[in-house]
Amino acid sequence: MRRLRNDLPYTFRPPKPRGWFRRLGLWANDLYLRRKFGVSRLDDQGFEKVRELSRAGHAILLAPNHADHSDPHVMVSLVAKQGMHSHFMAAREVFEVSKTASWALESMGVFSVDRDGPDLSAIKTAISLLEKTSDPLVIYPEGEIYHHHERLDPLHEGVASILLKAAGRLENGKEAYLVPVGIRFRHDPEVEETFSDRLSKLEDRIGWTPKPSMPVDDRILRLGTGLLGLKEMEYLGEAGRGNIQDRLATICESLLSEVESRLGKDAKSLSAPERVRALRYRIRRRLLDAERPPTFIERDGLLDDLDRAFTALQAHSYIGDYFLAERTLDRRAETIMKLEEDLLGFPNYPTPRTARVNAGEPIPVSKMLAAGELPAKGGAGELTRLLEAKLASLLVAS
């Protein structure tokens, strides 16, 4: 996960697809997949059904899990492989890297969303695209990248809510479909040879003497526990004891409760990601208050609270038993990549990977509404639970 200490005003970036740039972008996208992310092969199934629905003129929302930075590039390639264009909803932060990046994203049919607040422009754009085109719209219901492909984080209801609203506006026989998409990455066995040197760099990064003679699994656990202890010392004043999962839950809850004690708690936000989003929204709204700007001291405190919220989400993103339960090659690789991102800013992809992508059976939302299987109002939670169950089964099968 990348640190977000963004106090800039938000400007919505709409999709402005340009045909000539899309053709160039597809070529660059495939090159980027191989060279930057090490994805040398795409194994996919189920996208023929998506193509059939698109050609029939229906509204399609693709909802993949989101565990790797290359996920959007994978989806662009697979949708294009079926002869379709795609639209994406993407976090505002990727548009704010540079003006060139923003222009390129818009030209590829990507539009921004502020994940920390009610972004009505993004919601209206998504609904409009579903209503007016049959090009698949891609939205990641997990919201964040957590680097654990075999476990889903709780899904946001926004995806289901958008599709339900769009379904109510469709005319002339056009129907709405929600398609779960499971993405899993398989690492080439040669990645194991890179583990020792990469762990040495991480150990050196925090001032430890590298231990290349220690078994890899022990080094991963030692490093992860050490990082957790550093964060506990930084925010709680002492390193915790007990199992890792309990310690992660404790620091997450302590940080969120501390910030909420100052800024208030949103009664509707129950999970850690929801609480973090609510806090980031309140903090940024206060930081950007033009009528009553914060003092320098208050501003520093608000930025510190952004860091606390980030650390809480970071702790939440580590599943204590994920690596311990099954110490497979892929889980070793994913855990090291996650540690690299947290310590070095971005993970490494040193050897080839295969992306296995399974588009599940499309969920006929319009038909379910017509049959009374989904309520027109208040059905987002039920549809989200259905999507979550189908996504989880796809990840197991991949």
Side-chain angles (χ1 to χ4, degrees):
M1 297 175 61
R2 297 176 183 176
R3 182 179 297 275
L4 301 175
R5 217 188 198 205
N6 187 353
D7 57 340
L8 300 174
Y10 170 58
T11 300
F12 174 67
R13 305 294 182 182
K16 300 177 182 178
R18 296 172 173 87
W20 67 270
F21 188 84
R22 269 184 160 170
R23 291 189 292 273
L24 176 64
L26 287 173
W27 172 83
N29 181 75
D30 291 343
L31 186 66
Y32 209 58
L33 265 179
R34 294 192 303 272
R35 294 193 175 180
K36 183 175 179 63
F37 297 109
V39 179
S40 60
R41 180 177 173 182
L42 296 176
D43 289 343
D44 63 280
Q45 60 182 358
F47 282 87
E48 297 82 2
K49 294 180 181 179
V50 176
R51 180 185 60 200
E52 292 171 5
L53 292 173
S54 177
R55 289 182 176 176
H58 295 304
I60 307 163
L61 199 159
L62 303 180
N65 63 303
H66 200 12
D68 193 90
H69 290 290
S70 67
D71 291 341
H73 302 279
V74 168
M75 292 299 296
V76 167
S77 286
L78 292 181
V79 171
K81 179 181 175 182
Q82 297 295 331
M84 300 178 292
H85 294 305
S86 55
H87 294 283
F88 282 74
M89 179 187 285
R92 59 173 284 191
E93 288 79 15
V94 299
F95 289 82
E96 294 168 352
V97 172
S98 68
K99 290 183 179 180
T100 301
S102 179
W103 182 88
L105 288 166
E106 292 173 27
S107 299
M108 288 294 290
V110 185
F111 61 98
S112 67
V113 63
D114 186 353
R115 295 174 295 177
D116 298 334
D119 191 343
L120 297 181
S121 294
I123 294 171
K124 290 178 181 178
T125 298
I127 293 172
S128 177
L129 288 169
L130 290 166
E131 184 181 3
K132 296 177 180 179
T133 79
S134 62
D135 293 332
L137 170 62
V138 183
I139 305 180
Y140 295 90
E142 287 177 288
E144 300 278 356
I145 299 174
Y146 293 104
H147 292 296
H148 39 74
H149 291 91
E150 298 176 58
R151 301 271 186 94
L152 273 179
D153 210 68
L155 308 185
H156 307 319
E157 293 187 2
V159 170
S161 179
I162 285 171
L163 191 55
L164 286 171
K165 289 178 182 177
R169 301 184 183 187
L170 300 181
E171 299 176 345
N172 301 320
K174 186 173 185 177
E175 298 177 354
Y177 288 86
L178 178 59
V179 183
V181 181
I183 305 176
R184 285 279 301 277
F185 289 88
R186 299 294 188 182
H187 296 78
D188 191 284
E190 67 185 55
V191 73
E192 193 165 15
E193 298 176 7
T194 73
F195 290 166
S196 183
D197 287 344
R198 292 162 69 190
L199 286 168
S200 291
K201 290 180 182 178
L202 294 172
E203 290 163 340
D204 183 69
R205 177 70 177 82
I206 62 172
W208 284 1
T209 300
K211 299 289 185 181
S213 61
M214 183 181 292
V216 166
D217 287 358
D218 293 345
R219 294 178 75 184
I220 292 173
L221 290 172
R222 175 175 176 263
L223 184 61
T225 304
L227 288 174
L228 175 57
L230 288 173
K231 287 298 179 183
E232 289 170 331
M233 285 295 299
E234 179 181 4
Y235 289 108
L236 306 182
E238 62 179 359
R241 296 183 178 181
N243 69 65
I244 293 177
Q245 190 61 49
D246 289 344
R247 290 170 62 183
L248 288 167
T250 295
I251 190 172
C252 178
E253 180 58 36
S254 296
L255 290 171
L256 291 178
S257 296
E258 179 184 350
V259 180
E260 287 169 344
S261 69
R262 287 189 285 271
L263 299 173
K265 184 174 181 178
D266 183 354
K268 295 181 180 180
S269 300
L270 302 178
S271 69
E274 290 171 337
R275 293 166 69 185
V276 168
R277 284 195 302 275
L279 287 171
R280 288 197 304 218
Y281 174 70
R282 293 183 182 190
I283 292 169
R284 287 175 176 171
R285 186 175 60 180
R286 181 70 191 104
L287 286 170
L288 298 171
D289 189 341
E291 295 183 1
R292 189 172 61 87
T295 65
F296 287 114
I297 294 176
E298 183 186 3
R299 177 181 173 81
D300 286 343
L302 289 167
L303 291 173
D304 286 343
D305 279 343
L306 270 182
D307 285 343
R308 290 184 179 91
F310 171 81
T311 302
L313 189 60
Q314 201 174 31
H316 167 80
S317 74
Y318 280 90
I319 302 177
D321 68 342
Y322 182 72
F323 174 68
L324 295 172
E326 295 182 47
R327 302 183 191 185
T328 62
L329 177 70
D330 289 323
R331 291 196 182 193
R332 287 189 184 100
E334 289 171 17
T335 303
I336 291 174
M337 287 162 55
K338 186 170 177 60
L339 291 168
E340 286 174 333
E341 179 162 308
D342 286 339
L343 281 173
L344 305 177
F346 203 80
N348 288 309
Y349 305 92
T351 60
R353 300 186 297 160
T354 296
R356 295 185 179 177
V357 190
N358 188 353
E361 188 67 28
I363 302 171
V365 174
S366 293
K367 287 185 173 67
M368 293 177 71
L369 285 169
E373 298 175 27
L374 275 176
K377 293 184 178 181
E382 187 175 339
L383 185 55
T384 299
R385 288 188 289 275
L386 177 60
L387 172 63
E388 189 166 0
K390 289 183 175 292
L391 261 180
S393 65
L394 287 174
L395 294 181
V396 172
S398 298

